[in-house]
Amino acid sequence: MTALLQAINLSRRFGGVQAVSELTFTVNQGEILGLIGPNGAGKSTVFNLLNGVIAPDTGQIIFDGKDITGLPPYTVARHGIARAHQIMQPLLGLSVLENCMVGACFGRENMNLADAREAAREVAQSVGLGDRINALAGSLTTAGKKRLEMARALSAHPKLLLLDEVLAGLNPTEIEHMIETIRGIRKGGITILMIEHVMRAIMSLSDRIVVINLGKRLAEGTPREIAENPEVITAYLGDSKLLATAEEGAP
Amino acid sequence: MIGILASVVDGVLVGAVYGLAAMGLTLIWGVMNVINLSHGAIIVLGMFVVYFLTGATGVSAYVGIPVVVVVGFVAGIIIYWMSVNRVIGRPILMSLLATFSLNMIIIGLATAAWTTSPYNVPVSLPGITVQNYTFTGTHIMAAIIAGAIAGILYLFLHYTRPGKAIRAVASNRDAAELNGIPTRQVLAMAFGLGVALACVSGALIATLFPFTVLSGGAYQLKSFVVTVLGGLGNPAGALLGGIALGMVEGLATPFTPVSWTPIIEFGLFVLTLIAFPRGIFAFTKA
Amino acid sequence: MPSSISQDVAKAGTFKPQRSFADEIYRHVREPFPWLIVIFTAVVGLAPVVMDDVSLRESLLLAAVYVTLASNLNLMIGYAEYVNFGNIVFFGLGGYIGVYLATSWHVNLVLSVLAGGVCVSALAYLFGRGILGLRGAFFALATIGVNEAIHAFVTNFEPWGGATGIYLSMDAYEPLGGPMSGLWFCYYLLVLVMGLSLLLSYAIKTSKFGLGILAIGQNEDAAAVLGVPTPRYKAIIYAISGFLPAVAGGLYFFKSGIIEPNGAFDLTTSIEAIVMIMLGGAGTITGPVIGAFLYEELRGFLLFSETFSHLQLVLAGALLLIIVLFVPGGLLGWLRARLPWLRKWLQ
Ligand SMILES: Nc1ncnc2c1ncn2[C@@H]1O[C@H](COP(=O)(O)OP(=O)(O)OP(=O)(O)O)[C@@H](O)[C@H]1O
Ligand SMILES: [Mg+2]
């Protein structure tokens, strides 16, 4: 197993809040790694550090053998990291297709416009936005916008996909649909690092899980190990459903 | 040497009035994120109100100040409901254009009514002579009034219910709304206050220098410079920024031709924007 | 059903399409829109000749300048959604450089105005890397500052005549065969610059670069995360938006026979260009053209009408206010929303 991404000793402080603290973890080639933790644990901040939106105070990020610490987000994107945001950021005035084309044009493969159009159409279809391709992004429903976030990231043909709570706010059918989509992406050879609060989903999708709390790493292991870890259970304030959902969802 | 010092002191006095003008701009900007591009036109309005008031009644310009405040406040509220309310929260271009179109309307009407010839408000006040340099009485008086109004504004914003409501709406409009504050009314009031401040500064400027219908543009640009120096939405910073700008002007006057002052001002402005986008005096933010 | 989805996704991840460059060119030539621009430009250029009407030429010349200013400013305001209040600085500075080279150094007029364009774009690029770090209103204010600073500087710059500016003597038009043919020459070139401005707007909108710029306009942070190199792209579009206005400035002031600071760096003209864009529809290609022609008509009407000549500014302001408050998409936005079949023709 080779490491695609290594985060080494990352720390970041915002005023009085130590959002991320000496965090180290590795994402292996081809796996789905889950990143979980209570609200405000610093998960989204970790993503911001990884893709260059925020520079870490200390620490190092190695991606695909290259040091990408402190690079701006657009350079990180070019290296092959794409991201679906927790707070959806569709380009409202552009169509679904154009949104995806931006991802394709400026992502890892640096495609020209015509190639990007084809790639974007393909991806939009595959995540179930095929019939909304010419609709303005602003006219999509919440579920549609979530899919668009994902499609846009995917259009870049990234090596690593960062998914930040893509299931939040979806109904059970939509969740089911999205889980299938995520499995499909992994089958396509894309490594995934995902943040998720929907336990059943993260337990069934992830190969491994990293748990953080107050910016620090609390535990790491397979979904079953995590579900049985007493520290994790305390951090989630004795969320009794955790164990149950883990067992139900485990492959 | 005394000449330079005197020039700087005089700059500080006039700068306090710039600070007052900028306070009107920065209050509106800070509370509703609108840059009021009719600011200059409103300053001119203040000039003409005091001009006609003193002309018609013969009272001193300083006695007319409260009237200018009331007229400015009412005008501000009308302007808010007419053109600003609909653009709150829309892209910045919209509020810039809405207030700019007001600028065109006001300047257009004022030009039609009063032409573009120069006016002045005669005020006679004894100056203060130190060694052989005389500080003009009107400059001293204007600075005192500007300082007093700034103080009153501070007390109003911090110790009265409407003032606190304005600050609450400025810091988080949604939270204020949830707490039962009628945010739109508060925004209208803040806009009225900002306009009233601009009018008063216009009235004070009218006692210092001759003016025309088109004078507002220059003072509006100065207000921008001051606002940027003082930090956005920060009335105390605006006063400091105004004094700083006045000092720079005072310092520059003995050494460079007057025509170079704008280059210095705008150079300072652009550099400050780039280097300190949150303002040099931002640390005093209330 | 779910398994077919996952297979699609798997396929999508590896898809590698092929398209040749010739296909790309063909795609544009096949479109009706660029041809519309060419025809429009030719009509404007030839109308005063065919009608043998010098006053028509003068008003079309002004319109061509307005379209050039509005169309290029639209690259910033409509595409990148950065509000540039000081766009007139390009026109003025380009005008000064062009006129100065053509008169004091006797450089060929076309070369002079091109040099003006290149200098202005280069300056804009360097400057843009500084001030484009500012967002929203801060950027808008900085552009005013830049214009005013350069205005004040030129007013004091003796080689360019300081506050009085540069007057052209009749000799200046000798290389063009005298003042008469010189005026026509400037007219044709200005119309050409107008046409190029429109083609540029079209080319950018249909390019990868343009897609990046539009993305920046929608959400700059999201664009950067998607890989758009935002600082560089912003500086480039800023520089591009200065080139043709600078060239037009050189031609316009050369034709006028005089350039002085207050005329060259007039903020009002800057704002008028914004009014034109808003009137026609920001972010569209045709919008600024329609806006420029409408605005010029309106202004002419107001200037010459008995009742309104004093209230010209008031009416223009009221018009702008109404657009901003009630029709923010401009005429074109309004039409496109109601008549979808028009979209192919009115881009
Ligand atoms: N840009 C920022 N400036 C200041 N503080 C920030 C910033 N970003 C995050 N924080 C703070 O850092 C902490 C971690 O936030 P983060 O968004 O990473 O949490 P999270 O784990 O993603 O939470 P959630 O599950 O709610 O999405 C929070 O206290 C947050 O307020
Ligand atoms: Mg989060």
Side-chain angles (χ1 to χ4, degrees):
Chain A
M1 241 189 314
T2 49
L4 180 62
L5 178 111
Q6 287 169 280
I8 305 160
N9 246 330
L10 290 180
S11 296
R12 172 71 205 215
R13 196 176 183 85
F14 294 114
V17 183
Q18 188 70 46
V20 175
S21 166
E22 299 183 349
L23 187 67
T24 299
F25 66 91
T26 301
V27 187
N28 292 319
Q29 194 85 50
E31 78 175 339
I32 295 183
L33 180 68
L35 182 62
I36 65 172
N39 285 98
K43 306 178 294 292
S44 297
T45 306
V46 171
F47 275 18
N48 282 338
L49 295 176
L50 293 183
N51 81 336
V53 170
I54 294 174
D57 295 331
T58 61
Q60 212 183 9
I61 303 160
I62 311 287
F63 177 68
D64 210 14
K66 289 181 272 299
D67 186 346
I68 60 162
T69 322
L71 293 181
Y74 44 90
T75 313
V76 174
R78 205 36 79 74
H79 277 99
I81 300 183
R83 168 175 185 181
H85 293 90
Q86 176 178 10
I87 298 161
M88 297 163 286
Q89 310 213 334
L91 308 170
L92 295 171
L94 299 185
S95 69
V96 166
L97 186 68
E98 286 165 330
N99 265 273
C100 295
M101 283 167 67
V102 176
C105 271
F106 298 97
R108 180 169 68 91
E109 289 188 355
N110 196 11
M111 288 179 214
N112 67 37
L113 209 57
D115 290 352
R117 185 172 289 112
E118 290 312 316
R121 181 168 289 141
E122 196 92 357
V123 172
Q125 234 133 36
S126 71
V127 302
L129 283 172
D131 51 344
R132 306 283 293 156
I133 254 177
N134 292 316
L136 288 186
S139 71
L140 295 179
T141 59
T142 307
K145 284 182 183 147
K146 291 256 168 193
R147 295 196 161 268
L148 179 60
E149 273 290 328
M150 185 113 114
R152 209 168 57 172
L154 215 51
S155 301
H157 295 174
K159 292 177 188 158
L160 174 66
L161 184 60
L162 307 178
L163 299 178
D164 197 344
E165 299 196 24
V166 288
L167 302 180
L170 300 188
N171 67 34
T173 335
E174 289 163 348
I175 289 184
E176 213 45 62
H177 202 67
M178 197 64 124
I179 288 177
E180 275 317 310
T181 309
I182 294 171
R183 286 221 167 89
I185 294 168
R186 194 254 290 268
K187 251 185 223 152
I190 295 173
T191 308
I192 296 174
L193 173 57
M194 65 184 294
I195 296 174
E196 199 47 71
H197 278 304
V198 179
M199 279 308 147
R200 192 170 55 78
I202 196 96
M203 289 291 166
S204 77
L205 276 169
S206 310
D207 299 306
R208 288 187 307 128
I209 291 178
V210 172
V211 188
I212 64 173
N213 190 20
L214 300 174
K216 290 198 189 60
R217 191 172 75 168
L218 193 67
E220 180 179 336
T222 63
R224 175 162 293 271
E225 285 162 8
I226 293 301
E228 285 163 0
N229 186 320
E231 275 187 87
V232 175
I233 295 172
T234 331
Y236 273 93
L237 287 172
D239 186 344
S240 54
K241 278 182 294 186
L242 186 65
L243 193 64
T245 49
E247 275 167 355
E248 172 193 324
Chain B
M1 191 57 215
I2 181 77
I4 296 170
L5 195 67
S7 171
V8 171
V9 171
D10 195 51
V12 169
L13 295 177
V14 176
V17 181
Y18 296 163
L20 192 64
M23 243 181 254
L25 189 72
T26 207
L27 182 73
I28 292 172
W29 190 347
V31 173
M32 59 201 90
N33 198 19
V34 165
I35 296 187
N36 180 15
L37 288 182
S38 62
H39 186 68
I42 286 163
I43 290 177
V44 169
L45 224 52
M47 294 170 168
F48 276 94
V49 170
V50 83
Y51 173 81
F52 286 113
L53 207 65
T54 52
T57 64
V59 298
S60 151
Y62 303 115
V63 180
I65 295 282
V67 180
V68 176
V69 171
V70 173
V71 171
F73 186 74
V74 172
I77 299 226
I78 294 172
I79 292 175
Y80 177 85
W81 289 113
M82 215 176 92
S83 71
V84 180
N85 187 42
R86 278 183 79 105
V87 293
I88 298 277
R90 302 235 321 257
I92 192 81
L93 176 64
M94 296 301 166
S95 56
L96 288 172
L97 290 181
T99 54
F100 185 79
S101 59
L102 261 165
N103 182 67
M104 292 163 79
I105 294 171
I106 297 173
I107 296 286
L109 287 174
T111 310
W114 305 316
T115 73
T116 52
S117 40
Y119 291 76
N120 72 313
V121 175
V123 183
S124 62
L125 271 185
I128 296 177
T129 305
V130 180
Q131 303 216 347
N132 44 22
Y133 194 91
T134 305
F135 294 102
T136 324
T138 50
H139 289 202
I140 298 171
M141 190 64 177
I144 291 173
I145 294 179
I149 291 178
I152 294 172
L153 179 70
Y154 181 86
L155 294 177
F156 173 78
L157 288 178
H158 287 261
Y159 298 104
T160 67
R161 273 182 70 90
K164 285 178 184 167
I166 288 180
R167 290 197 304 133
V169 171
S171 71
N172 189 337
R173 200 181 309 151
D174 293 335
E177 182 90 56
L178 285 177
N179 282 310
I181 297 177
T183 49
R184 293 290 164 160
Q185 270 84 334
V186 172
L187 290 182
M189 178 173 68
F191 200 90
L193 265 184
V195 168
L197 287 168
C199 274
V200 173
S201 69
L204 289 177
I205 292 169
T207 66
L208 308 179
F209 311 112
F211 57 91
T212 76
V213 164
L214 303 177
S215 297
Y219 295 106
Q220 173 168 318
L221 288 169
K222 282 187 206 296
S223 298
F224 286 151
V225 179
V226 170
T227 301
V228 165
L229 287 174
L232 196 167
N234 178 3
L239 196 62
L240 287 178
I243 291 172
L245 181 70
M247 267 169 73
V248 170
E249 282 185 5
L251 253 180
T253 317
F255 298 108
T256 54
V258 185
S259 58
W260 280 87
T261 315
I263 306 183
I264 298 170
E265 276 180 19
F266 290 111
L268 190 71
F269 173 60
V270 175
L271 289 180
T272 312
L273 261 179
I274 294 173
F276 306 96
R278 304 181 57 201
I280 290 178
F281 302 113
F283 57 87
T284 53
K285 185 164 172 89
Chain C
M1 177 67 189
S3 72
S4 88
I5 289 169
S6 71
Q7 256 150 34
D8 278 352
V9 177
K11 235 179 42 220
T14 54
F15 176 79
K16 274 262 174 62
Q18 288 300 317
R19 271 292 184 91
S20 76
F21 183 66
D23 285 345
E24 260 310 281
I25 298 288
Y26 179 62
R27 209 167 54 78
H28 288 297
V29 176
R30 223 174 31 182
E31 289 286 323
F33 197 74
W35 294 108
L36 271 183
I37 296 175
V38 172
I39 293 167
F40 171 73
T41 308
V43 168
V44 172
L46 294 177
V49 191
V50 174
M51 320 256 287
D52 194 20
D53 185 343
V54 175
S55 76
L56 178 65
R57 183 194 68 196
E58 288 305 296
S59 76
L60 283 179
L61 182 139
L62 212 55
V65 170
Y66 281 150
V67 171
T68 303
L69 290 178
S71 179
N72 286 285
L73 178 58
N74 187 41
L75 300 178
M76 287 298 288
I77 289 190
Y79 289 10
E81 301 214 356
Y82 265 74
V83 183
N84 181 359
F85 273 118
N87 108 99
I88 200 68
V89 73
F90 299 142
F91 184 68
L93 203 56
Y96 262 104
I97 296 172
V99 168
Y100 178 70
L101 288 178
T103 56
S104 300
W105 294 65
H106 305 291
V107 179
N108 169 294
L109 176 64
V110 174
L111 287 182
S112 300
V113 297
L114 285 178
V118 171
C119 290
V120 165
S121 281
L123 274 177
Y125 184 83
L126 293 178
F127 221 77
R129 294 224 76 150
I131 61 171
L132 283 159
L134 303 167
R135 294 277 177 95
F138 289 101
F139 175 78
L141 288 186
T143 58
I144 297 181
V146 169
N147 183 60
E148 294 305 302
I150 292 186
H151 181 176
F153 173 79
V154 171
T155 309
N156 288 281
F157 191 57
E158 283 313 319
W160 286 355
T164 35
I166 305 174
Y167 283 83
L168 277 71
S169 67
M170 283 301 163
D171 302 346
Y173 301 97
E174 265 337 297
L176 304 176
M180 261 318 166
S181 61
L183 288 187
W184 280 104
F185 186 64
C186 288
Y187 175 69
Y188 292 136
L189 285 184
L190 274 169
V191 172
L192 180 67
V193 167
M194 174 192 80
L196 290 176
S197 298
L198 298 177
L199 285 175
L200 181 69
S201 281
Y202 174 78
I204 289 179
K205 196 161 202 178
T206 51
S207 72
K208 174 172 167 176
F209 171 72
L211 185 63
I213 294 294
L214 292 178
I216 289 174
Q218 294 294 312
N219 182 338
E220 190 169 338
D221 296 319
V225 168
L226 287 168
V228 181
T230 47
R232 190 157 55 88
Y233 268 38
K234 285 191 296 180
I236 293 176
I237 194 79
Y238 188 56
I240 289 180
S241 78
F243 182 76
L244 288 170
V247 172
L251 292 168
Y252 176 78
F253 288 110
F254 184 83
K255 175 248 151 201
S256 306
I258 174 188
I259 181 165
E260 49 87 30
N262 291 334
F265 302 102
D266 185 7
L267 263 186
T268 312
T269 316
S270 247
I271 309 285
E272 281 179 326
I274 298 183
V275 177
M276 293 169 203
I277 293 173
M278 293 303 295
L279 191 59
T284 63
I285 301 161
T286 335
V289 183
I290 296 176
F293 274 88
L294 273 182
Y295 187 80
E296 205 205 342
E297 273 304 306
L298 194 74
R299 217 175 65 139
F301 167 72
L302 295 179
L303 270 179
F304 292 110
S305 102
E306 280 291 313
T307 17
F308 293 137
S309 61
H310 289 299
L311 296 175
Q312 178 215 349
L313 203 58
V314 181
L315 289 177
L319 174 71
L320 179 59
L321 187 60
I322 290 169
I323 299 171
V324 168
L325 294 182
F326 304 107
V327 210
L331 199 60
L332 224 64
W334 190 83
L335 277 177
R336 281 167 64 94
R338 273 157 196 78
L339 308 168
W341 56 270
L342 264 176
R343 284 186 196 172
K344 201 178 176 82
W345 301 89
L346 289 178
Q347 294 200 17

